[in-house]
């Protein structure tokens, strides 16, 4: 069985005082570091950090240990030692959490494990804003996907709520834009209202999904999408799969797959991180789409400093995305943390980018 890595922490107590996260990282002059100062943190192939912890132990198969960094420029973290432990399955990790072998899990649990923990006495569940998204990549250079009418019809035929309810037992949100609703980037919902006409002819295609990448629910996600489309009478969809490491990842952007499932979570907390990597013809990491008007809109939103004006541009981008439909958003995953009583600060330690701020978590010292 291939090894899956889960973000899990065993929290050990610290005698430090309450820690307040700084508003920003500071450079030598007390302001945000310049590009030159940032370059000083990279020496050859060694990257130097300035965080509250240092890694004192790491094993690819077992986990890692983080110890409070004595020379950290800020206040000491609430927890002096954080142990990250890796598991082969969500079931093993859930049992460890229930037995008190670990203290905290953030995300990466399946519906069965989530349901079991939510009904467990003494278990605390924190749910945050959705930031991780799932979507379908469409190769717009292939038949039958060259026609945007077909792409819009595929999007309209997918019952997103059915995926959330049947596969994830309600733990998620239907997604009608590549930007999750938690960002409130615009009031546009063009994909939700998009319609397409397949011309009375049943469209046949394969929908690909990866194995050993997004968890045990991936086959169910693909099959639910296929059933939704086939039940419209306009499509004949067959699901196919390949192993992520052995085949799937290397076949992206090669034309091997005409329609395939992928996922994304942000590198930084801004709606642009859900737009430029997908829709900009020169800066995209995935897909087969390019349009000069879209490129200009993206440049405009990146340069705009007025929030209201920028929101309007994002609306135009999403309207155009709904017309062209090179990507089909499916659902967003809610950030969820599970932990036993006694920990504090967890609710403030995670964000939509799934960054876990271990230094904010403590035991009765928040």
């Amino acid at each position: 069985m291939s090894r899956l890595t889960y973000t899990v922490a065993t929290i050990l107590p610290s005698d430090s005082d309450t820690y307040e996260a700084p508003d920003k990282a500071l450079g030598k002059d007390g302001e945000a570091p310049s590009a030159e100062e940032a370059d000083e943190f990279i020496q050859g192939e060694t990257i130097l950090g300035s965080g509250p912890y240092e890694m004192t132990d790491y094993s690819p198969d077992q986990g890692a240990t983080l110890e409070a960094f004595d020379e950290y420029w800020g206040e000491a973290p609430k927890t002096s030692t954080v142990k990250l432990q890796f598991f082969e399955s969500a079931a093993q990790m859930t049992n460890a959490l229930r037995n008190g072998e670990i203290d905290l899990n953030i995300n990466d649990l399946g519906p069965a494990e989530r349901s079991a923990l939510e009904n467990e006495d003494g278990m605390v569940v924190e749910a945050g804003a959705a930031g991780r998204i799932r979507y379908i990549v469409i190769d717009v250079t292939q038949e039958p996907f060259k026609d945007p009418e077909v792409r819009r019809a595929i999007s309209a035929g997918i019952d997103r709520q059915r995926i959330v309810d049947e596969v994830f037992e309600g733990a998620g949100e239907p997604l009608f834009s590549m930007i999750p609703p938690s960002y409130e980037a615009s009031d546009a919902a063009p994909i939700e209202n998009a319609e397409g006409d397949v011309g009375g002819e049943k469209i046949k295609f394969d929908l690909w999904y990866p194995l050993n990448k997004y968890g045990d629910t991936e086959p169910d996600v693909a099959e639910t999408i296929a059933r939704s489309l086939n039940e419209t009478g306009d499509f004949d969809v067959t699901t196919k799969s390949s192993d992520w490491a052995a085949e799937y990842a290397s076949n992206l952007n090669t034309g091997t797959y005409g329609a395939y499932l992928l996922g994304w979570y942000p590198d930084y907390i801004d709606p642009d991180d859900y737009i430029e990597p997908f829709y900009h013809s020169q800066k995209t990491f995935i897909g087969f789409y390019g349009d000069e008007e879209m490129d200009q809109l993206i440049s405009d939103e990146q340069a705009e400093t007025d929030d209201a004006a920028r929101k309007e541009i994002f609306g135009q981008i999403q309207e155009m995305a709904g017309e062209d439909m090179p990507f089909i958003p499916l659902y967003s995953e809610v950030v969820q943390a599970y932990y036993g009583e006694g920990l504090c600060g967890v609710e403030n330690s995670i964000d939509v980018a799934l960054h876990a701020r271990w230094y904010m978590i403590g035991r009765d010292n928040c």
Side-chain angles (χ1 to χ4, degrees):
M1 178 178 181
S2 64
R3 182 169 295 277
L4 302 177
T5 300
Y6 295 89
T7 304
V8 185
T10 296
I11 306 297
L12 303 180
S14 169
D15 295 329
S16 64
D17 295 329
T18 299
Y19 177 77
E20 295 182 2
D23 292 332
K24 58 185 176 181
L26 301 181
K28 294 177 181 178
D29 56 359
E31 299 297 330
S34 65
E36 291 75 16
E37 289 174 330
D39 288 340
E40 293 178 8
F41 285 99
I42 303 177
Q43 299 180 356
E45 296 183 354
T46 301
I47 299 177
L48 305 180
S50 62
Y53 290 106
E54 58 182 338
M55 185 178 294
T56 58
D57 183 58
Y58 173 72
S59 171
D61 295 326
Q62 297 180 11
T65 300
L66 308 179
E67 300 282 354
F69 182 45
D70 293 337
E71 299 182 32
Y72 178 53
W73 55 267
E75 295 183 52
K78 295 176 182 178
T79 299
S80 60
T81 303
V82 177
K83 292 185 177 180
L84 307 180
Q85 187 172 339
F86 302 156
F87 290 87
E88 288 189 347
S89 70
Q92 289 181 354
M93 182 169 56
T94 300
N95 288 333
L97 187 59
R98 298 172 76 174
N99 295 333
E101 299 170 20
I102 60 175
D103 297 302
L104 171 69
N105 162 260
I106 298 178
N107 270 23
D108 293 312
L109 293 180
E113 290 78 24
R114 286 198 300 266
S115 178
L117 290 176
E118 288 169 0
N119 295 317
E120 185 84 7
D121 290 339
M123 189 64 60
V124 182
V125 181
E126 295 285 353
R132 186 159 56 180
I133 67 170
R134 298 301 310 280
Y135 57 95
I136 299 174
V137 181
I138 300 293
D139 185 345
V140 299
T141 67
Q142 291 189 27
E143 296 291 355
F145 309 115
K146 287 184 178 181
D147 187 351
E149 288 276 358
V150 172
R151 303 196 295 268
R152 290 196 294 270
I154 294 172
S155 177
I158 297 174
D159 188 340
R160 292 162 172 83
Q161 189 65 55
R162 183 175 178 180
I163 300 172
V164 171
D165 291 341
E166 294 185 4
V167 180
F168 298 102
E169 298 183 355
E173 297 181 56
L175 191 62
F176 297 96
S177 166
M178 293 296 280
I179 304 174
S182 55
Y183 283 85
E184 299 181 351
S186 80
D187 297 322
I191 293 178
E192 185 173 10
N193 302 320
E195 296 181 356
D197 185 0
V198 298
E201 182 177 346
K202 183 172 287 190
I203 302 296
K204 183 176 182 178
F205 69 92
D206 296 329
L207 176 63
W208 285 85
Y209 66 91
L211 300 174
N212 301 315
K213 174 62 175 177
Y214 298 109
D216 298 337
T217 56
E218 195 69 357
D220 295 330
V221 170
E223 289 296 336
T224 303
I225 293 170
R227 283 196 300 271
S228 292
L229 291 172
N230 292 342
E231 288 169 4
T232 68
D234 292 331
F235 298 97
D236 181 5
V237 181
T238 301
T239 61
K240 293 186 177 181
S241 64
S242 62
D243 183 80
W244 174 265
E247 183 178 346
Y248 200 92
S250 60
N251 281 335
L252 306 181
N253 289 339
T254 65
T256 303
Y257 308 142
Y260 53 97
L261 291 173
L262 276 184
W264 177 261
Y265 62 89
D267 301 300
Y268 52 92
I269 305 176
D270 187 90
D272 175 72
D273 197 41
Y274 295 88
I275 295 297
E276 183 190 77
F278 299 95
Y279 295 105
H280 197 290
S281 63
Q282 303 302 313
K283 300 177 181 179
T284 181
F285 82 102
I286 195 71
F288 307 85
Y289 174 75
D291 187 280
E292 291 184 359
E293 182 181 352
M294 178 67 84
D295 289 351
Q296 185 59 55
L297 285 171
I298 293 173
S299 296
D300 291 345
E301 62 87 358
Q302 291 174 339
E304 182 57 65
T305 58
D306 180 79
D307 289 343
R310 192 168 187 242
K311 184 176 181 179
E312 184 175 340
I313 298 172
F314 275 122
Q316 297 175 49
I317 289 173
Q318 291 175 89
E319 289 284 356
M320 191 170 181
E323 285 293 318
D324 295 346
M325 203 72 73
F327 303 94
I328 299 178
L330 297 172
Y331 60 91
S332 57
E333 300 178 17
V334 176
V335 178
Q336 292 179 303
Y338 300 85
Y339 57 98
E341 295 176 342
L343 294 188
C344 59
V346 177
E347 67 277 9
N348 299 319
S349 67
I350 53 178
D351 57 31
V352 294
L354 300 182
H355 296 150
R357 299 176 176 87
W358 307 120
Y359 56 82
M360 301 179 71
I361 303 174
R363 287 190 188 277
D364 303 320
N365 61 342
C366 299

